[in-house]
Amino acid sequence: DTGVSQDPRHKITKRGQNVTFRCDPISEHNRLYWYRQTLGQGPEFLTYFQNEAQLEKSRLLSDRFSAERPKGSFSTLEIQRTEQGDSAMYLCASSYGNSYGYTFGSGTRLTVV
Amino acid sequence: QKEVEQDPGPLSVPEGAIVSLNCTYSNSAFQYFMWYRQYSRKGPELLMYTYSSGNKEDGRFTAQVDKSSKYISLFIRDSQPSDSATYLCAMIDTNAGKSTFGDGTTLTVKP
């Protein structure tokens, strides 16, 4: 297993369009996290899954954001009706059980024009 | 007021210097403390992970936690140009199940 994979690496979209990102975690990891990072800031929590169950979603996350993890494997993050303020790096991370150190992917950089 | 505050930097040091990176926090429920290194346009990489107060050493890196003062530090000895990156502290309240990150300190080690 080569680590956490995210696709695409870069996405440029027009305001108002929908986008979907994919994350493939390390196969034996049961926890999967989505974070958002803007320039000069630390990663900001969006949501996390344990297996297929979404256990928490940030209160900062609008209804335009939705995430899924069918069958507890890969995950998708969808942003509907994108806004310029959605431009950021979207990071996926995974961990195994009580191992609280995360393995991050390289991120998907979203630019909304 | 953020739950985790990190010295903003940027920090520039000569090769071989000892580097000290610091974070303070306000949430007493934080129990696990991590340091990540992030190179430009890459995801963070876990460097150190500690639970209790005290020191933990791994090669040139030492993580220090003082729960009574709500203060953590990362020391880098004999710093190298390859250590140039942004360093992020992170903390977990196990009741919450997720990490809260500082905003990072950007370090440049000059040859």
Side-chain angles (χ1 to χ4, degrees):
Chain A
D1 200 337
T2 56
V4 178
S5 298
Q6 290 190 246
D7 184 69
R9 290 296 308 276
H10 304 276
K11 178 71 176 179
I12 300 174
T13 191
K14 291 183 178 180
R15 190 175 56 184
Q17 297 294 305
N18 299 343
V19 294
T20 299
F21 310 141
R22 176 178 171 125
C23 172
D24 287 272
I26 292 174
S27 56
E28 60 266 29
H29 284 182
N30 60 346
R31 292 191 178 192
L32 186 147
Y33 307 83
W34 286 99
Y35 280 79
R36 177 172 63 189
Q37 187 177 27
T38 53
L39 195 63
Q41 303 292 311
E44 175 188 33
F45 172 77
L46 295 179
T47 189
Y48 90 97
F49 294 83
Q50 178 156 306
N51 300 313
E52 67 274 12
Q54 187 173 19
L55 295 188
E56 187 175 347
K57 185 175 176 180
S58 170
R59 287 171 292 178
L60 301 175
L61 216 57
S62 77
D63 292 341
R64 297 184 297 106
F65 288 73
S66 62
E68 295 183 339
R69 191 183 183 198
K71 301 179 182 178
S73 55
F74 71 93
S75 176
T76 58
L77 178 68
E78 180 182 17
I79 309 174
Q80 296 181 329
R81 305 181 302 281
T82 52
E83 301 172 356
Q84 286 189 319
D86 297 330
S87 296
M89 173 79 88
Y90 289 82
L91 292 164
C92 176
S94 68
S95 68
Y96 177 71
N98 289 328
S99 169
Y100 291 104
Y102 298 170
T103 302
F104 278 90
S106 292
T108 293
R109 183 170 297 279
L110 173 66
T111 302
V112 181
V113 298
Chain B
Q1 185 78 16
K2 290 189 174 184
E3 286 187 296
V4 179
E5 298 280 357
Q6 185 166 0
D7 289 352
L11 198 56
S12 181
V13 301
E15 183 174 355
I18 296 174
V19 176
S20 172
L21 303 165
N22 307 295
C23 288
T24 58
Y25 62 96
S26 57
N27 186 349
S28 299
F30 287 141
Q31 299 172 314
Y32 293 84
F33 305 91
M34 284 75 64
W35 287 95
Y36 290 83
R37 177 175 61 197
Q38 186 174 27
Y39 293 113
S40 181
R41 299 188 178 274
K42 298 288 188 181
E45 171 195 12
L46 181 67
L47 281 178
M48 303 281 290
Y49 159 55
T50 58
Y51 171 70
S52 57
S53 285
N55 295 350
K56 181 177 180 179
E57 190 173 316
D58 184 1
R60 297 184 296 110
F61 298 90
T62 299
Q64 188 174 81
V65 174
D66 182 347
K67 288 187 176 181
S68 63
S69 300
K70 297 188 178 67
Y71 188 89
I72 70 169
S73 298
L74 178 71
F75 298 96
I76 307 174
R77 291 187 302 279
D78 187 25
S79 55
Q80 302 296 309
S82 58
D83 294 328
S84 298
T86 296
Y87 290 80
L88 298 158
C89 63
M91 307 179 187
I92 291 184
D93 167 5
T94 52
N95 293 325
K98 64 184 188 293
S99 290
T100 301
F101 285 80
D103 285 334
T105 301
T106 298
L107 170 68
T108 301
V109 181
K110 295 183 177 180

